[in-house]
Amino acid sequence: MKIPALLIFLLRIATSDYAQNRAFEKQVQEAAEILRLPGYTLAVVKNGKVIERYMAGYSNLEQKTPVRSDDLFMIASVTKTMTANLIMQYEQEHKVSLDDYVLNYRYVDIGFGWPYNVDPNAKIHHFLSQTSEDGPGNSFVYNGSRFNYMYGIFEKAGGHKPDVDAYQLELQKKVLTPLDMSRTIFGFPKSRKDSLFRHIATPYLYDQANKRFTEDTANYARWTRAFPSGGLLSTVDDLVKYTNSYDKETLITQASYDKVTSPTVLNDSSLSPYGLGWFSETFAGKKIHWHYGQAESYAALFIRVPETGYTFIFLSNANGPSDALRLGSGGIWESPFAAAFLRHYVFAKDQKAQQQLSPEESIGKALFLRYAGKKDEARQLIDQIAKSSPERFNRYDPGLIYLLTDLQANPVLIDQLADAYSAQKHVQPYVLTDLAYYYEKQERAERALQFYRELADAKGFEFWQLSADAARKSGQLLAKAGKVAEARQYYWKAVNDMKIQWADDNAVRAVISEMNAATVK
């Protein structure tokens, strides 16, 4: 019997799709196994429809409860995209302008402290674009808590009194309810007896000493509400509704979406990897709009590639998928989970793009291996990348700097990466810390001092602990070099930074005593 040509064609498509899905799942599984994730769930969406749905592991390890399709996971900073959506709705309604000064709105302390370093000239778009520190618009530094300083916007735009949670009310009214996101909640229920707990994937922390995951019970009291910066719990299905709302222009217009997903132009005309509440990058000619979530014991990825119609959603009840990387600086392709999505869906038919993706996949895998304690395997991968793609170490890459400095890897490669960092002219506190620690361990005092001082001298950042440590280290190195006056200046800056963050008086006295012992003959 002759098989009809149409049936043969359909069978080929089905077989091709099956092979594509299995190859994708295999790559995801390999990445998850490196981190030994308790559980995770994901979906690939194409033009509004879920074409791949996958769940693995346990929502509760102790009870061996498999991850279910309706399990809730904390999405952490993916919440920021919804905060940006809310503010764009206000702008469309002429209630708010992105050019409004943030201090035009009442500052409300919702548990994140007084905003010491808020520049009075910083505007809403500076906070949404993570450029409100170091002088408005000068630098992009990802600092999640900065979104919380915008709380007063929701209070005023929504016409709420101070005794209510304005952010929750506004997000519910203007995002969750219109999209029927009925499985999205504001933090953990306050009572463990609440029936909702049966549907929440248990949060887990990895116990390095005992090599096992333990339930993060402190999370339940820590996150009983959501904030503009994060805290929502949601499901894959609700996030599918959310991504589809952008294609349908349900809540904000295409013009508004284009505005929030356009890379921010900094004051020196360079481009940031961040728009307004969204990361916005280009890889192999494709624009990628995304955000990650990194809570104490959850991880999330939300990636849109609008010109292809694809969205990728990934949720886990351990934070390794985010904590192992440096996603706050951009470079989503270094996430092994994101790379699997890009390879098997976005660039499935683009061999050139897949070749370009190969070293990124290796870097991401090496970062995961380092995080899992398999440092020798990570070093081997780095050596392979250095042979196959030596040019990859000539460009600024916070993830690679983090990886190589921790591994104490090839010093020539680290010097190249350090030079690439210095050439981009923007202060990045975590990168400076990674480089300074590395050079100090290598007993290259002059290079270590260069990076410690750059961080200690940086203005307007809230990374006070990093700044205090850098100032103290600068004082130590300068004292050893016999530069007493400069050493004392940096020691004193360390003390002041410690006082800003309410350091223990004994800790402050210890630094003063160290200063005197090192500089007074």
Side-chain angles (χ1 to χ4, degrees):
M1 183 178 71
K2 187 175 181 180
I3 301 175
L6 177 59
L7 181 57
I8 293 173
F9 175 70
L10 293 174
L11 285 170
R12 283 177 178 170
I13 291 176
T15 303
S16 174
D17 287 348
Y18 178 82
Q20 178 187 38
N21 291 351
R22 297 295 76 76
F24 166 68
E25 287 176 9
K26 182 181 178 182
Q27 192 169 339
V28 166
Q29 288 168 358
E30 289 173 351
E33 285 170 4
I34 294 173
L35 299 177
R36 298 178 60 208
L37 294 183
Y40 61 94
T41 180
L42 62 83
V44 177
V45 183
K46 172 73 170 178
N47 295 328
K49 296 181 179 179
V50 176
I51 61 170
E52 167 75 345
R53 190 81 169 80
Y54 186 66
M55 292 156 281
Y58 300 103
S59 63
N60 186 283
L61 284 170
E62 292 75 23
Q63 299 176 19
K64 301 299 182 192
T65 306
V67 173
R68 299 161 299 201
S69 61
D70 63 347
D71 280 338
L72 288 91
F73 293 76
M74 184 169 283
I75 64 172
S77 286
V78 174
T79 305
K80 289 181 175 64
T81 67
M82 299 185 193
T83 298
N85 188 304
L86 257 180
I87 291 177
M88 294 311 295
Q89 288 189 56
Y90 295 147
E91 187 185 54
Q92 290 173 178
E93 297 162 1
H94 306 292
K95 292 180 178 179
V96 165
S97 167
L98 294 179
D99 287 324
D100 289 346
Y101 295 113
V102 163
L103 294 181
N104 281 7
Y105 299 87
R106 188 174 79 93
Y107 170 69
V108 184
D109 186 351
I110 50 176
F112 291 85
W114 180 259
Y116 289 99
N117 282 347
V118 167
D119 189 302
N121 293 307
K123 299 178 178 179
I124 291 175
H125 69 84
H126 292 124
F127 281 80
L128 283 173
S129 62
Q130 305 276 6
T131 63
S132 65
E133 299 175 275
D134 187 35
N138 285 337
S139 297
F140 161 74
V141 173
Y142 186 83
N143 181 354
S145 66
R146 282 250 144 180
F147 267 53
N148 296 321
Y149 297 150
M150 296 187 288
Y151 180 91
I153 295 171
F154 310 105
E155 188 179 86
K156 185 174 181 179
H160 298 290
K161 295 181 179 179
D163 60 341
V164 301
D165 188 334
Y167 180 72
Q168 176 172 331
L169 291 172
E170 287 297 287
L171 192 66
Q172 185 69 56
K173 180 177 71 174
K174 299 179 75 67
V175 176
L176 304 186
T177 297
L179 300 182
D180 190 29
M181 293 175 65
S182 58
R183 302 288 294 175
T184 300
I185 62 175
F186 295 82
F188 294 100
K190 293 182 179 180
S191 170
R192 291 294 303 277
K193 295 180 180 179
D194 194 304
S195 60
L196 269 174
F197 263 101
R198 296 199 303 269
H199 303 281
I200 297 174
T202 304
Y204 287 101
L205 293 170
Y206 188 64
D207 181 347
Q208 288 285 358
N210 297 305
K211 305 297 181 186
R212 63 186 180 88
F213 283 96
T214 59
E215 183 178 357
D216 183 8
T217 55
N219 229 337
Y220 304 131
R222 187 185 300 122
W223 291 100
T224 57
R225 63 181 292 188
F227 303 91
S229 63
L232 290 175
L233 283 84
S234 191
T235 66
V236 164
D237 291 335
D238 264 15
L239 292 175
V240 170
K241 296 175 183 178
Y242 177 57
T243 191
N244 289 344
S245 75
Y246 288 105
D247 299 320
K248 297 175 182 178
E249 300 184 53
T250 309
L251 302 177
I252 64 172
T253 65
Q254 184 62 44
S256 291
Y257 179 74
D258 291 343
K259 189 178 290 188
V260 296
T261 56
S262 293
T264 300
V265 180
L266 300 176
N267 292 342
D268 65 0
S269 299
S270 64
L271 287 181
S272 160
Y274 206 77
L276 302 174
W278 288 81
F279 283 89
S280 181
E281 300 184 284
T282 299
F283 189 89
K286 293 286 190 293
K287 295 178 180 178
I288 304 174
H289 307 148
W290 63 278
H291 218 291
Y292 77 108
Q294 181 179 338
E296 289 86 350
S297 40
Y298 288 99
L301 282 175
F302 188 79
I303 306 171
R304 288 174 44 83
V305 190
E307 63 188 282
T308 67
Y310 280 116
T311 291
F312 177 58
I313 301 164
F314 176 91
L315 305 172
S316 175
N317 56 344
N319 73 356
S322 296
D323 197 34
L325 309 172
R326 277 288 194 258
L327 294 179
S329 299
I332 187 58
W333 39 85
E334 287 184 3
S335 162
F337 299 110
F341 162 64
L342 295 174
R343 174 173 291 279
H344 296 289
Y345 291 98
V346 176
F347 299 117
K349 298 179 181 179
D350 188 337
Q351 290 188 348
K352 185 176 179 181
Q354 291 193 19
Q355 291 173 355
Q356 188 177 338
L357 190 60
S358 291
E360 313 307 323
E361 289 172 315
S362 295
I363 291 168
K365 183 177 181 180
L367 281 160
F368 271 20
L369 287 167
R370 183 216 69 85
Y371 188 80
K374 300 178 180 179
K375 293 191 175 184
D376 288 341
E377 292 181 50
R379 288 189 188 93
Q380 291 171 11
L381 261 182
I382 290 299
D383 290 341
Q384 292 173 18
I385 301 168
K387 291 177 182 177
S388 62
S389 306
E391 73 287 347
R392 187 62 183 76
F393 298 86
N394 291 322
R395 93 173 181 237
Y396 170 55
D397 186 327
L400 258 184
I401 291 172
Y402 175 49
L403 176 62
L404 268 66
T405 54
D406 181 73
L407 295 176
Q408 301 285 295
N410 189 320
V412 174
L413 298 180
I414 295 176
D415 285 347
Q416 290 174 204
L417 289 167
D419 291 341
Y421 163 75
S422 295
Q424 56 88 44
K425 304 295 186 186
H426 295 135
V427 174
Q428 295 292 331
Y430 286 109
V431 174
L432 286 169
T433 300
D434 292 337
L435 289 170
Y437 283 174
Y438 165 76
Y439 284 116
E440 186 178 17
K441 287 179 182 177
Q442 294 295 307
E443 297 183 350
R444 295 173 63 179
E446 186 174 340
R447 200 87 199 262
L449 182 58
Q450 170 193 340
F451 293 116
Y452 278 134
R453 291 179 74 167
E454 186 176 341
L455 177 53
D457 292 342
K459 305 296 183 185
F461 291 106
E462 287 178 0
F463 294 91
W464 291 309
Q465 182 60 57
L466 294 181
S467 176
D469 290 345
R472 185 176 184 177
K473 290 285 189 178
S474 297
Q476 292 170 356
L477 293 171
L478 287 164
K480 286 180 182 179
K483 299 180 180 179
V484 171
E486 284 185 85
R488 291 181 67 84
Q489 290 287 354
Y490 280 100
Y491 269 119
W492 191 243
K493 185 182 188 308
V495 167
N496 286 325
D497 283 346
M498 291 171 72
K499 291 297 286 183
I500 287 175
Q501 57 185 323
W502 300 296
D504 179 80
D505 285 346
N506 289 329
V508 171
R509 291 190 191 100
V511 174
I512 296 173
S513 295
E514 181 183 307
M515 174 182 71
N516 291 330
T519 61
V520 177
K521 302 283 185 170

